Amino acid sequence: MHRLLKTGIAAVALTVSLPAAGAYPDKPVRLVAPFVPGGPTDIIARVVAQRLSQAFGQTVVVDNRGGASGAIGCEIVARSAPDGYTLMIGSSGNLAVAPALFAKLPYDPLKDFQAITQTTSGPQVIVAHPSVAARNVTELLALARAKPGSLNYASGGAGTTTQLGMELFKSMGGVEIVHIPYKGTGQALSDVLGGQVQLMMASLLPALPHVKSARLRGVAVTSAQRTAALPDTPTVAESGLPGFETTSWHGMVMPANTPPAISGRVHAEMVKLLNLPDVKALFLTQGMDTVGNTPAQFTAYIQGETEKWTRVVRALGIPPQ
C-alpha cells in the first residue's frame, strides 16, 4: 500500500503550484497524527503533509503521538499555541466517539479545536484471519453463538469507531466477542494478520491491501451500500444484520483561536488539494471519498456525529469510561 501511496504522491506533486510568498508560514509546520504509524490517520496525514509542503513552500512534518485512543495527541494540539504551526488530522474516534464514551477527556473537540475541513469519509470492513471458520456475517454470528467468548477482536483503542462499531455489531447480533484494545490501528491490524487476534473492524484504507492479497478475509463492509473498492464483499446489513451501518471519517483541525487569516489560508490549501483529480482518485482506490467542506459545515458535522454516537452508547448501555 505504501508503494501505491508513493506513486500517487509523485503523480500529484506535478499538478500543485506554489502560491505567492506570504507571512505565513515562514518556518516548518507540524501535522500531528494522534495514532501510531501505519493506520488510516497516519496514512492520510502523510499524503496531506506532502501536498501542503509544496503549497506552503515549507516542510510540513508528520508527528505521530499515539496512545490513549488518540487523546495524548489531541491534548498536545489543544494546548499548542494558536499560531498556525501545529495542525492535526483528527478522526471520527477522537473527535466524535470519545466525547460520547468517556466521562473525562483532556480536550474538548468543539472548544479546544478550530475545525478546518473534513478530509475523507469511507466504510469500514470486518476482517478475519483466514483461520477463522466464517466466511460471512451469518457464519460469523453462528460461530460466536456456538462458542460464546471464544472469539476476540482487535481495535485501535477504546473509544474508537472500530471498537464502538464492533460493540454495536455484538449488540445487534446478540453475541459475545472479546475486545482486545491496541494503541493504534497499525498495531491491531498487525496482530490480526499474525493470527494473535481473530477479528477486527478496520477502516478500509489500511485493510484493503491485505484483503486483496487474501492475507485477511473480508467478511463484510459496514456502509449502507457495497464499495467499489471491494465490490464482491457484501455489506453487514445485506448479509445478516439489517439496518447496520457505520462509517469512518477524518478531518483537519487547529488549536482554537487561531487567527482567521492563518486558518483561512490552511482551509484554502486543503480544499485545493482535496479537489485535485489525482488526489481524489488516489483515495478512491483505497475506498475513501474526499470531502473538503467549510469550517462551519465540519463543525456542524462533528456536533451531529457526537450526538449520534452518544445515542448509540446509551442504547448499548455502555457505562462512561
Side-chain angles (χ1 to χ4, degrees):
M1 176 175 63
H2 287 95
R3 285 198 296 270
L4 173 61
L5 289 173
K6 288 179 181 177
T7 301
I9 288 171
V12 177
L14 297 175
T15 69
V16 181
S17 59
L18 296 179
Y24 169 84
D26 59 6
K27 62 181 181 179
V29 176
R30 176 174 63 161
L31 177 58
V32 174
F35 292 100
V36 295
T41 304
D42 173 65
I43 292 170
I44 293 168
R46 292 184 187 282
V47 173
V48 168
Q50 193 276 339
R51 306 306 192 280
L52 285 184
S53 292
Q54 294 199 15
F56 285 162
Q58 293 286 345
T59 302
V60 178
V61 180
V62 176
D63 183 7
N64 292 96
R65 295 299 185 102
S69 301
I72 292 175
C74 288
E75 183 178 15
I76 289 172
V77 176
R79 306 292 174 255
S80 294
D83 57 7
Y85 291 95
T86 300
L87 316 174
M88 185 177 84
I89 295 295
S91 70
S92 44
N94 47 50
L95 294 180
V97 175
L101 191 60
F102 292 100
K104 273 192 173 183
L105 284 174
Y107 66 94
D108 185 310
L110 295 172
K111 293 180 180 178
D112 293 333
F113 298 137
Q114 185 167 333
I116 301 301
T117 189
Q118 185 181 348
T119 55
T120 51
S121 178
Q124 297 160 319
V125 58
I126 297 176
V127 293
H129 188 268
S131 63
V132 177
R135 296 186 174 277
N136 53 53
V137 169
T138 300
E139 291 179 0
L140 179 59
L141 292 174
L143 181 61
R145 288 167 185 153
K147 299 179 179 179
S150 63
L151 293 176
N152 50 42
Y153 78 91
S155 81
T160 58
T161 51
T162 53
Q163 185 250 338
L164 208 54
M166 277 300 294
E167 291 301 314
L168 181 60
F169 178 86
K170 288 166 52 179
S171 175
M172 291 180 67
V175 295
E176 179 54 39
I177 304 174
V178 180
H179 178 214
I180 310 294
Y182 286 79
K183 291 183 178 180
T185 299
Q187 293 179 349
L189 199 57
S190 177
D191 272 10
V192 178
L193 284 164
Q196 289 91 339
V197 186
Q198 296 155 306
L199 304 166
M200 182 176 182
M201 181 181 290
S203 296
L204 201 55
L205 186 59
L208 186 60
H210 306 301
V211 174
K212 287 188 172 182
S213 67
R215 295 186 66 197
L216 292 177
R217 180 181 301 125
V219 176
V221 294
T222 65
S223 46
Q225 289 84 34
R226 296 192 185 196
T227 172
L230 285 175
D232 295 328
T233 302
T235 67
V236 174
E238 73 178 282
S239 56
L241 289 181
F244 185 95
E245 181 184 0
T246 67
T247 57
S248 174
W249 53 265
H250 291 79
M252 177 173 281
V253 299
M254 303 174 71
N257 302 314
T258 298
I262 293 176
S263 61
R265 170 76 191 283
V266 175
H267 176 262
E269 297 298 347
M270 284 297 298
V271 172
K272 284 180 187 177
L273 73 87
L274 289 170
N275 279 288
L276 287 168
D278 287 350
V279 172
K280 295 172 78 72
L282 173 62
F283 281 118
L284 190 60
T285 62
Q286 303 298 315
M288 303 287 284
D289 292 317
T290 56
V291 182
N293 53 7
T294 67
Q297 288 170 332
F298 188 30
T299 298
Y301 186 71
I302 294 171
Q303 290 175 319
E305 284 286 284
T306 302
E307 292 168 2
K308 178 188 78 175
W309 285 112
T310 298
R311 291 193 297 270
V312 170
V313 167
R314 289 174 180 169
L316 294 176
I318 300 175
Q321 303 293 308

